[in-house]
Amino acid sequence: MKFGDGEKGFAMLRVDRVECGYGPFTALRDASLTVAPGECVCIVGPNGAGKTTLVSNIAGMFTPRSGRIVLNDSEIGGLGAEKVARLGVSLVPEGRRIFGSLTVEENLRLGATVRRGDGLADDVDLALTRFPILRERYRSQAGKLSGGEQQMLAIARALMSRPRLIMIDEPSLGLAPLVVDKVYEVLLELRNQQALGMIVVEQSTARIADIATRLHVVRTGRIVATLDGDEISSSTALDDAYFGFGKGHEQNLGH
Ligand SMILES: Nc1ncnc2c1ncn2[C@@H]1O[C@H](COP(=O)(O)OP(=O)(O)OP(=O)(O)O)[C@@H](O)[C@H]1O
Ligand SMILES: [Mg+2]
């Protein structure tokens, strides 16, 4: 099977007509997307649309009912979370899920367990340089950090495995706008790393124009719109894609 090139190079991830669900319930249908190194593919959609279902299937936590999830040349659909992580895919889960009773240091070290231990001290140091707040809180219990600090820790922990693809599920969830700004500064920095592919999931389009290289709108289990390049920075195109109507019709949607 030959894969198409992404905007910035050969796609590392290809999700091809995937259908996913839970028992008899279908949560996502006919979902296709690609991610190339250096791309930041954003998935936006309302509550219950199937966004988390998509990234957790890519992360190997569930087995898609049909379709293919291919990382480089390997099929990873249903491979299991640990094997997929070892292949270089890291998920920052919705709600962060750091280990609250462990210290910042212990959380960071745990992030590196899926790869060989070489260079661990250097990687910890890099994480602390990238996230200075974590250096200040290095020996603190992670559960005592603020929401924003916990999100930084969750991202830093995911990077400890030196992923080729990082997926971040609702990074702005529950955070104050100023804190979201800080998180997005970090995401932008990651986006600018040419070797790294990214998937960022959000409920709203408010922040993603700053980082997205491509955007897919998901609604009730389907990708209903895809925006590329300049379309993403046009608020009219964004609204049209998200709401499915031109500006001025939003009031009809009860959104
Ligand atoms: N473990 C599960 N078992 C059964 N149904 C589930 C499970 N997880 C999600 N669902 C259902 O699948 C659908 C998609 O859920 P999903 O969590 O993927 O949505 P989402 O887009 O991430 O929403 P949110 O923005 O609220 O996080 C919803 O109808 C949800 O109730
Ligand atoms: Mg979700």
Side-chain angles (χ1 to χ4, degrees):
M1 192 166 181
K2 176 115 175 73
F3 295 148
D5 290 342
E7 249 181 28
K8 294 190 175 179
F10 202 67
M12 57 164 68
L13 178 79
R14 185 175 177 98
V15 176
D16 193 24
R17 308 204 65 178
V18 152
E19 181 175 308
C20 314
Y22 305 93
F25 177 72
T26 303
L28 191 67
R29 289 182 169 82
D30 199 22
S32 299
L33 60 84
T34 61
V35 184
E39 283 187 328
C40 177
V41 174
C42 289
I43 313 291
V44 292
N47 219 275
K51 307 180 299 295
T52 297
T53 301
L54 174 62
V55 290
S56 23
N57 275 268
I58 295 170
M61 293 154 69
F62 301 98
T63 305
R65 275 204 208 125
S66 61
R68 283 155 52 86
I69 303 176
V70 177
L71 183 73
N72 297 320
D73 285 327
S74 312
E75 168 95 48
I76 58 166
L79 204 57
E82 192 184 325
K83 281 189 182 150
V84 172
R86 282 186 198 283
L87 289 170
V89 177
S90 204
L91 172 66
V92 181
E94 190 177 336
R96 326 190 221 291
R97 299 206 211 128
I98 45 116
F99 298 101
S101 59
L102 302 184
T103 65
V104 166
E105 175 185 10
E106 287 162 341
N107 270 276
L108 288 176
R109 288 178 179 277
L110 279 172
T113 49
V114 299
R115 65 169 175 84
R116 271 183 262 118
D118 57 322
L120 182 59
D122 286 349
D123 285 1
V124 169
D125 202 55
L126 183 68
L128 300 179
T129 303
R130 182 179 269 147
F131 303 95
I133 190 68
L134 299 182
R135 197 184 288 281
E136 285 169 39
R137 309 296 226 109
Y138 194 51
R139 310 241 179 251
S140 306
Q141 255 192 336
K144 300 218 168 97
L145 303 184
S146 70
E149 290 163 358
Q150 290 187 8
Q151 186 62 274
M152 299 292 190
L153 176 58
I155 295 169
R157 183 183 62 181
L159 290 168
M160 289 297 293
S161 63
R162 294 189 193 156
R164 289 185 281 180
L165 174 72
I166 186 167
M167 303 189 288
I168 306 158
D169 195 351
E170 296 205 38
S172 63
L173 188 71
L175 302 181
L178 279 176
V179 181
V180 176
D181 288 348
K182 289 221 159 70
V183 171
Y184 267 75
E185 275 171 30
V186 168
L187 297 183
L188 186 59
E189 209 179 285
L190 295 180
R191 205 272 319 260
N192 292 336
Q193 288 185 17
Q194 294 305 303
L196 185 68
M198 288 173 81
I199 295 180
V200 175
V201 169
E202 284 287 13
Q203 278 202 17
S204 93
T205 54
R207 303 281 178 151
I208 43 83
D210 295 339
I211 58 162
T213 52
R214 186 159 53 256
L215 179 146
H216 299 287
V217 179
V218 181
R219 199 173 262 287
T220 53
R222 284 183 190 278
I223 294 177
V224 294
T226 295
L227 299 187
D228 256 311
D230 289 348
E231 292 171 325
I232 299 168
S233 44
S234 147
S235 59
T236 313
L238 261 183
D239 282 356
D240 282 355
Y242 194 90
F243 295 108
F245 294 88
K247 269 196 162 204
H249 293 270
E250 292 91 334
Q251 67 270 21
N252 298 328
L253 290 160
H255 207 85

